[in-house]
Amino acid sequence: MTPQALFPTNSFKGALHLEMFNLQNGSSPTLLATSIRQYSRSFEQQQTHVFWTQRKVPSGIRSALARECGNRHFDIAHPASLPVHLRSGHWQQLIDALQDPQALDRWQQALLVRLLTSLGMHGCAIASLEAPTDLHPGSSEADYQYANALARARFLSHKETGAGYRDRYRPEDYWHIVNQRRFGSPAACSATFSLMLQYITEEPDISQAQALAHLLREQAQSIDDDFGRCFVLSVFHRGYALLPARDARLDEMIRHMDLADEYSSKVLDSGDPYLSLVAQENRYSVLESRIKEKFMIEDFGAAGRFAEQLLQLDPLDARALMSVGEAFAAVGDYERAAGSYSRAAHCGPLYTAAAWFMAGQCHAAIGQKEHSALCLLESLRIDPKAISAAEALAMLDPSCPTSAWAASRKLALEAESQ
Amino acid sequence: MTARESFTASLYAPFIDLSAPSAQAPIHVQKPLSLAVEHFERRMQIWTLQRAIPSTFRPALARQIRASTLPVTAPTVVAGLSDSERWQQLVEDVARYSALDEPRQASLVRLLFSLGFHATCVALTSNGVASDHESLEARSRSQERSHIQLVHANALWVQWIDDPSTAYSPALHAEVHQNASPATLLRFVAALHLLVFHARNTRDTQLIAHWDRVCLEELYAIEGADYADFYKNLMWSRYYRAQAFIPYLRNDQREALKSMRRAEEFARAMKPSSIHEQLLQRENIFPLSETHGKTALWAGDVELAEAMYTRLVENDPYDPKAHIEYAEFMCAIGKADVALRHYLRASLYAPPGGALGLYMAGQLAALKEGEHGASKGLAMSLHLSALSQDNEACAALEELCEVSAQCSGEEFISAWARAQLEVTPSPTPTLAQEAA
């Protein structure tokens, strides 16, 4: 059965995210889809992967996609909830694996968790697979990779609840791996990086973050193979750059970002599909951070150049397009900014309402009122509670009926929020 | 989503639940509301048909407001959208149509017709149409029955425009003309329809001349009847506008413009004495401006054409069709930037014209020489937006194929659009119909 036959609408967005819906290979070029496809194939072929991808996929992505593509069948939290006629072969394999995950070996279990996490099904991963309780210094890398994947799923899931992830998340999941796993192993590096990031972004006391950073750098430098060392060093420097950024030590921040950039470029041509994905994904994160860094120092020209690179790397990724739009808008190139935001809206989800809103603002800035109004209305259609879009539309052209409607809509939303 | 949570739903509220539209709604949107007042409060008014809601309107509205529950072919009550008391009453009256008296039947089918429920109109009125065995006397006994017959003929005619296999025949309007009481607007309107029908479709000069003569006879009969001057002038204005077809078919630009000038004179002489008549006056300005503008452009008088098209949008500034017409005129005189803005306006106030406006704006954007290919990117975005409104918009797919093929790094969009073209029937029915 063709992807088009499986997918009930001929929506562009649906085709772009076909992997997310049912693991059907739609040849989508986005890194997000590539990552899902890679994990799916690796799981099927029982491959071993030691490095990790960094993109966080929120569980809300599924319901947003289903809503925007017009098919609620895909708004599911567990693979088995997908109606039988919409399941691809790979999807059925995923369901079968979830029926008895204990029958899988540790590498497969680790890949299964990563696959579910890349599909935005963290809750399903946590509910279906049990965290290992018998980890010890002699446990295998597969055991630690599995524990690490589950810790990440728990972290993502609890962070999304909005109730304060520290109340329910267990940092000891990561600490256990950091303390017990072989120094410099991929699992240990990944867990150390996760903890370092949390301490940098969440804790007022930086001593623990600094200790973890020191540990991660030492681990990275101890790695023998070039790919592993450069990858981990790139990840380290990008994460660590947040620490000087916290105190506005801009030169230090730039130095670390330059290093992250340099190391990320070194590993791009690995030849192996999985390692290429890991390297590209890392490059994506580095470029995204570089845009933010350049914004921080108000070097908008450099931000634009990094935005161009990001666009070349992942031209149909909504998040990348949002960053690119922001970079163009910052230098006053509203025409290109509007184009990037509109494209982000078509490539969504998750940023669709915000992308339409920003596109509307950019069109308004260059006097394209009609286009602006259409974008703002789209934003309100995607998110009927988007009060900023209602406000912008109300102020756009007072003589236009859209303004009168938006003004009353804004009042209604304000009343609702009170 | 409730009707008030969507701008389009608020603009077209009467079509959704017979509630009042936003204050600036287009003229044709206010008509169902007035007809609802006529039907439910039994306040009879003089109505004449100038603009029929096309069969594509309700499906387009459902798509636009993303309401799969909006009644499209029949006013079936659907929870959520159609819970208004009036809509419930409408549904009840449809169910007990045969038990209603003839004036109520007539006002009900007029209301249904104005809401775009053509199939329901045909189904209800088929039994009420006089059979061939009835005597002429019996047929003309009820003026209301003639009104019902007119709705029946009009509903079939609107369906026939979209689907030529529909069992419409001009004989149906001829029958209405024959059965209606002498010296009535109804009789003239039926004759006028036939004049226009033959001028547009059969182009049979004898039939055109015949119905032209009949129209004039009916108008002179109306002159002696007890109608206010407002309605007499309206009918004369409508006649001269239709009559311009005759010199047009002879390629006589001077005579066609002369007919249009006469139509304008009578339109100017219309002095409305009520809100209802003001609405009818504005409704007449739409086709008058449209035809006069087209005739002027054909005759090479661009200044006059521009004045007419400007009046068209000023008369009904939130009517998407007016903006489509204006944009087409601007394209014709080479003002692409203005045209693009008005195509987008049409899309803003759609339906009709949502996907069409975006597609045409995309076409114009692609022609622009933007820096860094920004205009091509904008064109692709507009075509994708057109497709999100109408996923069978084949023309937008074709353009998307073409524009994406011209840009580097757009292989996915290009391949997707090509794949869609293979499974989408061509040409696009909706865009083609809306363009027509």
Side-chain angles (χ1 to χ4, degrees), chain A residues 261-288:
Chain A
D261 196 338
E262 189 186 324
Y263 285 119
S264 74
S265 301
K266 279 184 182 172
V267 291
L268 281 172
D269 304 317
S270 74
D272 174 85
Y274 172 68
L275 293 183
S276 287
L277 169 68
V278 170
Q280 282 182 18
E281 238 238 354
N282 181 54
R283 182 79 191 142
Y284 175 103
S285 304
V286 169
L287 289 171
E288 212 182 19

Side-chain angles (χ1 to χ4, degrees), chain B residues 120-429:
Chain B
T120 310
C121 285
V122 172
L124 291 179
T125 54
S126 291
N127 293 333
V129 175
S131 74
D132 290 343
H133 305 295
E134 277 182 286
S135 69
L136 252 178
E137 195 186 343
R139 286 186 208 177
S140 59
R141 208 164 32 219
S142 162
Q143 185 68 0
E144 295 303 338
R145 182 179 281 195
S146 295
H147 277 286
I148 294 168
Q149 271 189 306
L150 180 66
V151 172
H152 178 80
N154 282 338
L156 279 168
W157 166 65
V158 174
Q159 289 183 312
W160 175 83
I161 293 169
D162 290 332
D163 176 10
S165 67
T166 305
Y168 170 73
S169 155
L172 289 167
H173 278 95
E175 194 175 8
V176 176
H177 172 256
Q178 197 179 3
N179 291 347
S181 304
T184 55
L185 298 185
L186 183 65
R187 208 171 150 92
F188 166 73
V189 164
L192 189 72
H193 172 91
L194 288 161
L195 169 61
V196 175
F197 178 86
H198 288 294
R200 275 186 178 161
N201 300 288
T202 66
R203 302 206 167 184
D204 181 323
T205 46
Q206 281 188 333
L207 281 171
I208 295 167
H210 167 74
W211 286 109
D212 181 35
R213 201 170 50 247
V214 174
C215 280
L216 273 174
E217 285 168 10
E218 298 301 344
L219 279 171
Y220 285 121
I222 289 169
E223 278 297 318
D226 190 22
Y227 284 112
D229 284 348
F230 176 87
Y231 295 98
K232 290 174 184 172
N233 286 323
L234 172 60
M235 295 304 134
W236 277 106
S237 176
R238 289 183 62 180
Y239 165 71
Y240 278 111
R241 184 175 75 84
Q243 204 266 347
F245 267 115
I246 299 172
Y248 170 77
L249 291 173
R250 287 198 310 264
N251 207 21
D252 186 343
Q253 293 173 343
R254 218 173 123 185
E255 276 301 308
L257 275 175
K258 203 171 144 191
S259 288
M260 289 314 302
R261 277 198 292 274
R262 298 297 312 271
E264 291 283 354
E265 280 166 23
F266 283 106
R268 273 196 298 275
M270 290 163 64
K271 304 291 176 215
S273 59
S274 65
I275 293 170
H276 168 69
E277 287 177 0
Q278 280 171 5
L279 203 64
L280 288 182
Q281 185 186 38
R282 283 179 64 205
E283 193 193 29
N284 186 50
I285 289 172
F286 188 108
L288 189 59
S289 306
E290 191 185 10
T291 313
H292 203 166
K294 275 180 189 161
T295 311
L297 188 62
W298 173 55
D301 190 342
V302 175
E303 205 177 322
L304 175 63
E306 185 158 3
M308 288 301 114
Y309 281 107
T310 303
R311 185 178 66 173
L312 180 70
V313 284
E314 284 175 355
N315 173 60
D316 204 357
Y318 306 112
D319 185 332
K321 203 164 170 279
H323 288 283
I324 293 275
E325 296 287 346
Y326 189 78
E328 279 174 6
F329 169 70
M330 285 295 158
C331 274
I333 62 167
K335 293 185 180 175
D337 279 352
V338 184
L340 192 148
R341 280 213 323 271
H342 282 271
Y343 277 125
L344 290 177
R345 277 202 174 230
S347 187
L348 201 54
Y349 308 136
L356 178 73
L358 290 164
Y359 157 71
M360 288 303 296
Q363 291 256 61
L364 293 172
L367 293 174
K368 279 172 70 176
E369 283 295 324
E371 248 190 286
H372 311 290
S375 54
K376 295 270 191 292
L378 176 63
M380 279 193 278
S381 177
L382 288 164
H383 290 315
L384 281 171
S385 291
L387 284 160
S388 74
Q389 286 205 6
D390 177 3
N391 59 13
E392 289 181 354
C394 206
L397 270 176
E398 282 168 358
E399 284 304 314
L400 192 58
C401 262
E402 199 164 306
V403 180
S404 56
Q406 292 165 16
C407 304
S408 60
E410 302 294 5
E411 290 78 12
F412 181 81
I413 295 184
S414 188
W416 174 78
R418 270 200 312 277
Q420 290 308 307
L421 270 176
E422 284 167 18
V423 294
T424 308
S426 182
T428 315

